[in-house]
Amino acid sequence: MRKYIIWIIALIALVYANSLMGDFVYDDYLVIVNNDFIKSAGNLKLFFSPRYLTHPLEAEFNQGAYNIGSGEASYRPIPTLTYFFNYALFKLDPFGYRLTNLAVHILCAIMLYLLLNVIFAVPRMSFFAAVIFGIHPINAEVVNCTAFRPNSLALLFCLIAIILYFKFKNTQSRPRYRYLATSLASAFLAVLSKEIAVFLPLALILCEYYQSALSLAKLLKNNAKIYLLYFGVDLIYLLVYFLLMPPTQAIIGRASLAINFIRMLNVLGLYLKDMALPMELAMIDPMAIFNSWPFFYLGIFGFLGATLVILNKNKLNPVISFSVIWFFLWLLPMNNFLNSFRILAAYRYIYFSITGFAVLLGFLLSKIWQQGLKNKLLRQFAPFAFYGYFAIFCVSANASWKDDLMLGISLVEKNPASVFAHLNLGSVLSRYGNYPEAKKEYEIVLSQPDFIRHNPLYISVINCNLGAIYMLEGDYKKAEQFYLTALKSTPHLAHIYTKLGYCYAWQGEYDNALEHLAQAKKINPRFSPAYLNTGITYILMNRYNEARIEFIQALAINPKYQEASDYLKKLEKSEKGRE
């Protein structure tokens, strides 16, 4: 067993070695880089307050303005706690965060190996499955983006909870209840990492059904009280989730069952294709509605095939039926079957499910290995062929996730017609200071009338970004036009009124500037840039005492607001000079 674990660690670490030199990417800027929440131990008390949660509009427009919360729209305190530790140890060095992600991923692979050993008692098959899960390119999204750590932490605690449950079942001495208590604690940590872990009790029952020789009815009868403890953990979490810490955005939307089912088949087809042929994996366009007929037919084939496997599970090898049921158990809640999710598809959504795919391939490899007893070349070649195949594409996927620019370019190259890809690349180019190319990307997005009609928030984001670019270039009149367009899409945002006030101030329209800045404060009294820009306006009007009051108010809201601090110091220095 120790030998297999060492090999699991070594192989996964080797394949992901090139990921460790990458930068922060994608949502990392919201959750870590531009968010002060994890940078102060004083914010730990907010874990038990609704102020832990971040509203999506704050995430889009108010980063750095004041304490917007953890960056999470739903209650996931365990991942956030790990970000606190990362920041304490590494500050904003992305190496430490990526190393932590990789360590958690490797632990997931080890726990998968241990669990499969408990259920099927075939160490070699368990090893093959764990390595395939560990190096599959689809998981590069979770491993390379720190903000997606909730997925790996939730899976890790789920696997630990099930393993400890079996320790409880297989131990006869008095300390056995310690295993049960620790298992339940791990189950609670899992749901506090990500909501999908509420399906853990079903996964646990599935594992015990395949591990024991009992029928499902007898299993439920014999273990009903213990299973209810795990459902009780879910109930406690759901009470916290919906009553005390309700999510700040509509994670689930409304659509007809027929539409959801069609979407599910398209997305399932895409997932199946990318699991088997994982070439050029960067990221799925999260706003796309997949209407590709090949994906649709592949999804139908996969769904019908899975149905046949489940209906004929008693006639098949148990590993095959287990892997298929496990795959769909974790896939269905994340795949638009009954509900329409805000983001239709993402590789991180199948981080749990792909363990079932890995088990199926691990079983196939173990069968090839057994045949290889008569053919040494086959036995030696098959594992290397499988591992090499996935490893090559995983290393390539890591390269796409090296930094935001590489990711943005990869997305556009993979999806040249995707509005989201061009929007994302435009935002990245703006952050890197390449404004001419950023403008081109935004113009591509703004040329799509259907997108403009159905996505007012994103249109507001684009116009605000264009306004910011023209402000940096000193063209305040042009910037004003873009901010006014943004205001039509999202008329109740303090951010836009603040930017308009800034534009008017530098055009000498002071009354107009103060009016818009006052409106920003009315909408959000804690929006510190509104006070900063009011102070700048008063300086332009030579009203220095009023400017000082505004800067002090900005710092009272956000003591780390460096720009407000700098203006206040300059103002005090100039006043001393005038004296």
Side-chain angles (χ1 to χ4, degrees):
M1 181 179 290
R2 183 178 298 177
K3 175 185 70 175
Y4 283 134
I5 291 175
I6 292 173
W7 272 108
I8 289 170
I9 296 170
L11 290 171
I12 298 174
L14 179 65
V15 171
Y16 275 101
N18 69 322
S19 74
L20 296 176
M21 296 300 108
D23 201 351
F24 291 108
V25 289
Y26 202 60
D27 282 356
D28 290 349
Y29 286 91
L30 164 65
V31 176
I32 296 163
V33 180
N34 297 330
N35 191 358
D36 289 334
F37 187 83
I38 66 164
K39 300 171 187 175
S40 172
N43 289 328
L44 287 169
K45 63 180 180 293
L46 298 181
F47 274 54
F48 309 101
S49 162
R51 289 177 60 191
Y52 167 87
L53 301 170
T54 299
H55 192 278
L57 291 180
E58 293 177 334
E60 289 287 353
F61 294 103
N62 299 345
Q63 292 181 45
Y66 63 104
N67 195 336
I68 66 170
S70 65
E72 299 285 358
S74 54
Y75 194 48
R76 300 172 180 175
I78 300 303
T80 306
L81 187 61
T82 68
Y83 304 148
F84 269 88
F85 286 123
N86 277 158
Y87 184 78
L89 292 173
F90 305 105
K91 300 305 178 188
L92 289 178
D93 182 355
F95 173 82
Y97 296 80
R98 285 177 170 253
L99 181 63
T100 304
N101 268 25
L102 178 55
V104 174
H105 180 62
I106 290 173
L107 285 173
C108 285
I110 293 171
M111 293 304 147
L112 178 63
Y113 163 75
L114 295 175
L115 177 60
L116 293 173
N117 251 355
V118 171
I119 299 172
F120 299 111
V122 184
R124 184 169 287 112
M125 185 273 290
S126 304
F127 168 72
F128 288 149
V131 173
I132 290 170
F133 164 75
I135 66 174
H136 198 288
I138 276 180
N139 292 331
E141 179 170 300
V142 170
V143 178
N144 285 277
C145 183
T146 301
F148 297 154
R149 190 181 296 170
N151 300 275
S152 54
L153 284 173
L155 177 61
L156 176 62
F157 288 122
C158 280
L159 295 173
I160 291 173
I162 300 173
I163 292 169
L164 289 172
Y165 170 79
F166 282 118
K167 290 283 286 183
F168 160 73
K169 294 287 289 188
N170 297 328
T171 302
Q172 301 303 320
S173 58
R174 185 179 178 85
R176 66 193 296 255
Y177 286 98
R178 295 178 187 173
Y179 291 123
L180 178 61
T182 311
S183 175
L184 291 167
S186 187
F188 194 54
L189 293 175
V191 291
L192 290 177
S193 296
K194 191 167 183 178
E195 305 87 309
I196 190 177
V198 295
F199 284 80
L200 168 63
L202 299 178
L204 187 150
I205 293 170
L206 175 68
C207 291
E208 187 162 22
Y209 172 74
Y210 276 88
Q211 192 266 348
S212 70
L214 300 176
S215 66
L216 182 60
K218 193 166 186 180
L219 194 68
L220 293 173
K221 181 181 178 181
N222 292 350
N223 299 291
K225 292 181 180 179
I226 297 174
Y227 292 156
L228 283 174
L229 292 175
Y230 289 89
F231 284 108
V233 170
D234 281 356
L235 179 61
I236 293 170
Y237 170 74
L238 292 173
L239 289 173
V240 172
Y241 186 82
F242 287 110
L243 298 181
L244 300 179
M245 307 288 279
T248 59
Q249 65 180 347
I251 297 174
I252 297 176
R254 295 180 179 178
S256 72
L257 184 61
I259 291 175
N260 283 332
F261 189 72
I262 292 171
R263 285 175 175 172
M264 173 206 167
L265 292 175
N266 280 307
V267 174
L268 175 61
L270 173 71
Y271 286 153
L272 291 175
K273 190 277 288 184
D274 285 344
M275 284 191 297
L277 302 171
M279 287 86 82
E280 298 180 356
L281 297 188
M283 188 177 181
I284 300 173
D285 180 347
M287 297 192 311
I289 298 175
F290 299 98
N291 53 10
S292 166
W293 286 110
F295 289 157
F296 179 74
Y297 289 129
L298 184 57
I300 290 177
F301 175 79
F303 187 79
L304 292 177
T307 303
L308 288 173
V309 168
I310 294 169
L311 291 176
N312 294 280
K313 64 181 185 301
N314 294 329
K315 299 178 183 179
L316 297 171
N317 186 290
V319 179
I320 296 175
S321 57
F322 170 83
S323 65
V324 172
I325 297 172
W326 178 274
F327 178 87
F328 278 91
L329 170 66
W330 294 112
L331 179 69
L332 290 177
M334 299 297 296
N335 202 28
N336 303 294
F337 181 51
L338 298 176
N339 298 293
S340 177
F341 281 83
R342 183 176 58 87
I343 297 176
L344 295 179
Y347 293 131
R348 60 188 178 276
Y349 287 176
I350 57 171
Y351 188 76
F352 278 66
S353 294
I354 202 170
T355 52
F357 177 77
V359 172
L360 192 61
L361 287 190
F363 171 74
L364 175 62
L365 257 180
S366 67
K367 288 299 180 184
I368 293 174
W369 184 275
Q370 288 176 3
Q371 293 297 318
L373 293 175
K374 302 173 184 177
N375 186 334
K376 272 191 174 183
L377 183 62
L378 177 65
R379 186 172 73 172
Q380 293 173 354
F381 174 75
F384 287 107
F386 271 79
Y387 295 162
Y389 174 73
F390 289 122
I392 289 171
F393 295 122
C394 190
V395 170
S396 176
N398 292 336
S400 295
W401 283 90
K402 179 184 177 185
D403 54 45
D404 252 9
L405 188 58
M406 286 293 296
L407 180 62
I409 292 171
S410 298
L411 278 171
V412 171
E413 289 177 348
K414 184 180 178 183
N415 308 289
S418 167
V419 175
F420 170 78
H422 290 286
L423 170 58
N424 178 73
L425 183 56
S427 299
V428 171
L429 290 168
S430 295
R431 190 188 306 131
Y432 279 81
N434 190 342
Y435 303 127
E437 292 301 318
K439 290 178 187 176
K440 291 179 183 178
E441 297 299 323
Y442 288 140
E443 287 166 1
I444 293 173
V445 178
L446 292 174
S447 68
Q448 305 293 321
D450 288 339
F451 178 81
I452 292 173
R453 186 165 55 251
H454 294 107
N455 296 279
L457 177 59
Y458 283 102
I459 295 308
S460 185
V461 171
I462 294 170
N463 280 283
C464 284
N465 288 349
L466 284 168
I469 290 172
Y470 282 105
M471 278 207 306
L472 289 169
E473 294 176 349
D475 191 343
Y476 298 108
K477 191 65 180 176
K478 189 81 171 178
E480 173 195 337
Q481 294 171 6
F482 281 107
Y483 283 121
L484 286 171
T485 303
L487 197 62
K488 293 177 183 178
S489 299
T490 48
H492 304 297
L493 290 177
H495 172 87
I496 301 176
Y497 281 100
T498 300
K499 294 299 184 181
L500 275 168
Y502 188 83
C503 290
Y504 289 131
W506 284 100
Q507 293 177 77
E509 300 179 31
Y510 301 127
D511 290 341
N512 210 358
L514 291 173
E515 180 183 341
H516 281 78
L517 290 164
Q519 181 64 22
K521 295 176 191 175
K522 183 178 178 181
I523 293 171
N524 187 347
R526 290 185 55 78
F527 191 62
S528 53
Y531 297 90
L532 171 73
N533 287 337
T534 303
I536 293 171
T537 304
Y538 281 135
I539 287 177
L540 294 173
M541 299 171 68
N542 298 319
R543 293 163 61 174
Y544 301 114
N545 287 333
E546 290 162 288
R548 182 192 301 104
I549 293 171
E550 296 296 328
F551 295 142
I552 291 172
Q553 285 181 298
L555 288 168
I557 296 167
N558 181 5
K560 296 183 179 180
Y561 201 172
Q562 190 61 47
E563 195 172 358
S565 178
D566 291 343
Y567 265 105
L568 186 60
K569 289 176 182 177
K570 288 178 183 178
L571 188 61
E572 292 173 346
K573 187 176 181 180
S574 64
E575 285 182 342
K576 287 181 180 178
R578 286 195 297 271
E579 291 174 358

